[in-house]
């Protein structure tokens, strides 16, 4: 006999678990299905973000940054630290503990909000009674029924053809987060978020890291001025980045992995490394959903086809997060999850794609929201720009990290903020002010006239806004 719910959410990543909680807050009977397992076979809700993405990568980034500070920067503060070593096993163990705490936190939130959790794989069985029957396959098989279904099954790492992941020598983000020791040489194919973050972790710990990028430009989605500043910093750190390469073959070798490629000049080259991280994007995860049973429409990439409100071609079936169009970002998934739950409840859920922030958690960090300068030029939009370097910021000097800048782009006629771009210390936190400002259609003058605490990194945001009108006070 099937168990009846108002809403069934398939997937407990950021989009799914947030959608389930919000729907329950709105008075609905909610079930959430997720198949992630921990090392003991128990439930591990949180999806890629919590288990092998956002959370564990930040844990390793923080540990590796402390190690680099102790080895290279403590002396600047008068601190003598000799014979500093990294216990990789303990570092990875700390990361695993943080992941477990996050898993348990989500299970607690389900209990608190009266969301019924099912550990297993959810798939469509058939249309039933004006709704849908969902089969759960797991430790115990269950049949669930609801009129409203939210698909939040996320995405998987995309493998390079001919070089499938073995998570031993050819690694996805999963394997890159679980290395038991520091490789002497590490190759990274793809200079996107995951590639740069994981490359940064292992470089700090002593690996010689080479990043191979197929595009001729570095971080093409980032404002060009900001990307150039970031690359200068990475070059200085010793992160070797080759642009415009074409991979011809990847094979295992006696050393580890051999990558044959041609460089930007068309010259043949070979990279021999102990380990290889492949970071060339992600693909929507719709495998096993049994979409044919109900006629759910997918696109050529395997993503669920949705409209601007996350509605699919089937009545009462919705989809959010990485499994649909748009940026594959955890916070985008969360916003869509909330919006869909509210739409099901008859409210007006809202997601503004123009004010979704992006962050790369390298050192220096890179963050932005809105349009880049190159996009404004392509669109023929008349704009004003203002920049302010962290080297002129007192708090940055005190921190000992003055790399980078804040950049404002504003409409030439109205002064409305069109984009804010940052590279430097803690800009993942600073970007929130820009998001709020753009959401309320603020002008650069609005930010310029707001009092910011001194000394703080956020003063650089104020100064960059002042720079739009060419009146910075500290540079």
């Amino acid at each position: 006999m099937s168990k009846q719910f108002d809403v069934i959410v398939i997937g407990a990543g950021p989009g799914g678990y947030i959608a389930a909680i919000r729907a329950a807050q709105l008075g609905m009977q909610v079930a959430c299905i997720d198949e992630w397992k921990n090392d003991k076979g128990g439930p591990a809700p949180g999806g890629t973000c919590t288990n092998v993405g956002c959370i564990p990568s930040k844990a390793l980034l923080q540990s590796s940054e402390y190690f680099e500070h102790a080895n290279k920067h403590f002396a600047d503060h008068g601190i003598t630290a000799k014979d500093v070593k990294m216990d990789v096993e303990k570092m990875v163990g700390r990361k695993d503990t943080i992941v477990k705490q996050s898993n348990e936190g989500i299970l607690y939130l389900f209990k608190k909000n009266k969301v019924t959790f099912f550990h297993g794989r959810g798939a469509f069985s058939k249309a039933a009674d004006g709704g849908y029957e969902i089969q759960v396959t797991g430790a115990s098989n269950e049949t669930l029924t609801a009129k409203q279904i939210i698909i939040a099954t996320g995405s998987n790492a995309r493998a390079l053809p001919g070089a499938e992941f073995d998570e031993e020598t050819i690694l996805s983000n999963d394997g890159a987060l679980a290395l038991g020791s520091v490789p002497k040489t590490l190759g990274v194919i793809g200079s996107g978020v995951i590639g740069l973050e994981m490359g940064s972790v292992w470089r700090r710990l002593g690996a010689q890291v080479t990043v191979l990028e197929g595009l001729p430009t570095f971080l093409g989605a980032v404002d060009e001025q900001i990307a150039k500043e970031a690359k200068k910093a990475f070059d200085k750190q010793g992160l070797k980045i080759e642009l415009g390469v074409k991979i011809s073959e990847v094979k295992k070798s006696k050393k580890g992995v051999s990558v044959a490629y041609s460089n930007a000049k068309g010259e043949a080259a070979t990279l021999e490394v102990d380990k290889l991280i492949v970071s060339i994007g992600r693909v929507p995860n719709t495998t096993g959903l049994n979409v044919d049973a109900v006629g759910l429409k997918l696109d050529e990439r395997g993503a669920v086809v949705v409209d601007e409100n996350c509605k699919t071609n089937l009545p009462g079936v919705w989809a959010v997060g990485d499994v649909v169009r748009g940026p594959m970002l955890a916070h985008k998934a969360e916003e869509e999850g909330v919006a869909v739950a509210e739409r099901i409840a008859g409210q007006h859920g809202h997601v503004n794609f123009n004010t979704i922030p992006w962050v790369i958690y390298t050192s220096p960090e890179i963050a932005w929201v809105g349009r880049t300068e190159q996009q404004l030029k392509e669109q023929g939009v008349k704009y004003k720009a203002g920049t302010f370097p962290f080297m002129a910021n007192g708090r940055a000097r005190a921190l000992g990290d003055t790399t980078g800048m804040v950049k404002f782009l504003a409409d030439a006629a109205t002064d409305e903020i069109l984009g804010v771009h940052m590279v430097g210390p803690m800009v993942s936190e600073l970007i929130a002010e820009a998001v709020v400002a753009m959401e309320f259609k603020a002008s650069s003058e609005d930010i310029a006239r707001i009092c910011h605490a001194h000394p703080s990194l956020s003063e650089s945001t104020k100064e960059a806004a002042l720079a739009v009108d060419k009146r910075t006070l500290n540079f």
Side-chain angles (χ1 to χ4, degrees):
M1 184 176 177
S2 67
K3 296 180 179 179
Q4 189 77 35
F5 293 89
D6 297 321
V7 178
I8 297 172
V9 182
I10 305 176
Y17 89 79
I18 289 293
I21 289 170
R22 184 67 185 124
Q25 288 176 344
L26 290 166
M28 291 174 261
Q29 294 296 312
V30 182
C32 187
I33 308 164
D34 191 82
E35 67 175 340
W36 277 90
K37 296 178 181 179
N38 58 30
D39 57 358
K40 295 181 179 178
T48 294
C49 175
T50 295
N51 291 293
V52 292
C54 320
I55 304 303
S57 65
K58 303 312 161 286
L60 294 188
L61 280 161
Q62 190 65 60
S63 296
S64 65
E65 189 164 350
Y66 282 151
F67 179 74
E68 185 165 68
H69 279 312
N71 272 297
K72 296 183 178 180
H73 305 301
F74 275 8
D76 295 337
H77 296 267
I79 303 170
T80 300
K82 294 181 179 179
D83 198 28
V84 177
K85 293 183 174 66
M86 171 57 77
D87 183 335
V88 174
E89 184 178 350
K90 190 165 186 177
M91 177 185 76
V92 173
R94 174 182 178 273
K95 176 263 297 182
D96 292 340
T97 297
I98 292 167
V99 169
K100 182 183 177 184
Q101 289 169 342
S102 298
N103 297 146
E104 292 172 347
I106 294 169
L107 291 172
Y108 163 75
L109 289 171
F110 281 158
K111 186 176 181 180
K112 175 186 175 184
N113 289 280
K114 297 181 173 58
V115 173
T116 305
F117 178 72
F118 293 90
H119 188 209
R121 175 180 284 266
F124 285 97
S125 178
K126 63 182 179 180
D129 301 324
Y132 303 89
E133 189 175 276
I134 303 295
Q135 192 67 41
V136 182
T137 305
S140 61
N141 297 334
E142 303 275 0
T143 301
L144 315 180
T145 307
K147 291 185 178 181
Q148 302 288 337
I149 310 295
I150 303 174
I151 301 166
T153 47
S155 62
N156 296 315
R158 183 158 72 94
L160 195 67
E164 299 303 313
F165 299 119
D166 61 13
E167 305 301 5
E168 292 292 332
T169 52
I170 301 177
L171 314 171
S172 68
N173 53 296
D174 196 344
L177 287 162
L179 287 173
S181 61
V182 181
K184 289 183 179 179
T185 55
L186 174 67
V188 181
I189 298 180
S191 66
V193 176
I194 295 170
L196 288 175
E197 290 185 357
M198 288 298 92
S200 293
V201 166
W202 298 107
R203 178 205 61 77
R204 291 172 189 161
L205 300 183
Q208 182 181 327
V209 180
T210 302
V211 180
L212 303 178
E213 170 58 54
L215 294 174
T217 55
F218 180 63
L219 293 176
V222 177
D223 184 87
E224 188 175 355
Q225 186 178 8
I226 297 296
K228 286 180 177 177
E229 190 75 15
K231 188 168 185 305
K232 279 196 302 183
F234 297 144
D235 290 342
K236 187 177 179 181
Q237 292 167 6
L239 192 65
K240 185 179 179 184
I241 302 170
E242 289 196 45
L243 303 174
V245 308
K246 189 172 183 180
I247 307 295
S248 51
E249 185 182 34
V250 175
K251 62 182 181 182
K252 294 183 183 179
S253 63
K254 288 183 180 180
K255 180 177 174 60
V257 188
S258 177
V259 182
Y261 66 98
S262 56
N263 61 25
K265 297 178 181 178
E267 300 165 339
T270 301
L271 176 67
E272 294 278 353
V273 291
D274 298 316
K275 305 284 185 181
L276 179 69
I277 299 173
V278 177
S279 175
I280 55 172
R282 300 183 64 82
V283 292
N285 176 27
T286 47
T287 304
L289 272 175
N290 196 22
V291 297
D292 293 338
V294 290
L296 180 68
K297 187 177 179 181
L298 305 181
D299 68 13
E300 65 279 358
R301 299 184 308 121
V304 179
V305 177
V306 293
D307 65 10
E308 67 277 7
N309 293 315
C310 294
K311 289 182 180 178
T312 71
N313 64 304
L314 301 175
V317 180
W318 314 71
V320 302
D322 286 7
V323 79
V324 302
R325 80 286 177 268
M328 290 184 172
L329 298 169
H331 43 284
K332 174 259 195 185
E334 290 179 345
E335 293 303 304
E336 287 181 330
V338 169
V340 165
E342 291 177 349
R343 287 162 187 156
I344 290 172
Q347 298 181 7
H348 299 283
H350 166 77
V351 180
N352 183 355
F353 281 86
N354 295 321
T355 55
I356 292 175
W358 295 68
V359 180
I360 303 175
Y361 294 87
T362 47
S363 180
E365 292 185 343
I366 306 164
W368 70 98
V369 62
R371 285 176 281 180
T372 64
E373 189 165 2
Q374 55 264 38
Q375 286 174 325
L376 294 176
K377 287 178 179 177
E378 289 167 4
Q379 295 164 8
V381 177
K382 293 183 178 180
Y383 65 92
K384 300 178 291 183
T387 62
F388 186 81
F390 280 108
M391 68 177 184
N393 176 270
R395 183 67 189 277
R397 287 197 294 267
L399 287 173
D401 188 354
T402 58
T403 303
M405 68 177 72
V406 178
K407 178 177 182 177
F408 266 67
L409 298 168
D411 188 279
T414 67
D415 196 37
E416 180 182 344
I417 300 168
L418 304 176
V420 179
H421 308 271
M422 306 176 175
V423 55
M426 300 300 292
V427 296
S428 57
E429 302 295 335
L430 299 185
I431 198 65
E433 180 180 11
V435 175
V436 171
M438 288 185 64
E439 191 65 51
F440 286 93
K441 297 192 177 299
S443 65
S444 65
E445 182 71 10
D446 290 327
I447 300 299
R449 289 193 175 275
I450 292 173
C451 183
H452 290 65
H454 176 77
S456 68
L457 296 174
S458 69
E459 288 178 286
S460 296
T461 305
K462 175 187 176 78
E463 291 277 3
L466 283 165
V468 172
D469 195 38
K470 295 181 173 55
R471 61 179 211 270
T472 55
L473 298 171
N474 285 284
F475 184 69

